[in-house]
Amino acid sequence: KQQFITMQKAWDEHDMDAIRETVTPEMFSQLSDERDSIGAVNHTEVVTLNADILGYTYEPSRVVVSVRMTGLIKEQAGAQPADFDEVWHVQRSTSDPSANWYVSGIQQNA
């Protein structure tokens, strides 16, 4: 949950250095291109946030966990909260038990 809030704040502030620290290089490339096309700084308020583990894949060099993020967010001051539903894929190295988790994919659900 904290990673979601941290990433949302960095996204709103166009803080690509903070985003780079929490995502894989491939994901950073995608997010950087998308963020550049949006331009303006935004403010998002996370009203409620739920995180449910959907499953995981254990590979020799990494573990990947799929987490469904749902809740309510406000994307403009004074706006009514809107539902969101996303699946985040996060991964970390299996060779280091204290390795950081990195976002490797985000799927927006309809």
Side-chain angles (χ1 to χ4, degrees), residues 43-55:
H43 174 75
T44 303
E45 178 185 345
V46 179
V47 179
T48 62
L49 177 60
N50 306 301
D52 298 300
I53 295 175
L54 298 177

Side-chain angles (χ1 to χ4, degrees), residues 5-17:
I5 293 168
T6 299
M7 287 253 317
Q8 188 63 58
K9 182 176 188 286
W11 180 263
D12 286 349
E13 295 174 354
H14 204 161
D15 185 350
M16 298 312 291
D17 290 333

Side-chain angles (χ1 to χ4, degrees), residues 16-52:
M16 298 312 291
D17 290 333
I19 290 173
R20 184 188 320 267
E21 293 176 10
T22 61
V23 301
T24 63
E26 298 81 13
M27 188 72 201
F28 179 77
S29 179
Q30 292 173 12
L31 290 174
S32 183
D33 290 346
E34 184 178 340
R35 189 65 184 97
D36 286 344
S37 71
I38 294 171
V41 172
N42 191 33
H43 174 75
T44 303
E45 178 185 345
V46 179
V47 179
T48 62
L49 177 60
N50 306 301
D52 298 300

Side-chain angles (χ1 to χ4, degrees), residues 6 18 26-27 44 64 76 87-88 91-92 94 101:
T6 299
E26 298 81 13
M27 188 72 201
T44 303
V64 180
Q76 295 177 352
V87 175
W88 284 33
Q91 69 181 43
R92 77 174 189 177
T94 56
W101 289 94

Side-chain angles (χ1 to χ4, degrees), residues 56-101:
Y56 68 93
T57 304
Y58 189 85
E59 301 171 1
S61 63
R62 67 183 181 159
V63 61
V64 180
V65 178
S66 298
V67 182
R68 183 176 183 199
M69 304 284 197
T70 58
L72 295 170
I73 57 173
K74 290 183 185 181
E75 295 190 284
Q76 295 177 352
Q80 291 296 319
D83 291 323
F84 71 92
D85 185 349
E86 301 175 349
V87 175
W88 284 33
H89 305 284
V90 294
Q91 69 181 43
R92 77 174 189 177
S93 171
T94 56
S95 64
D96 178 2
S98 64
N100 289 331
W101 289 94

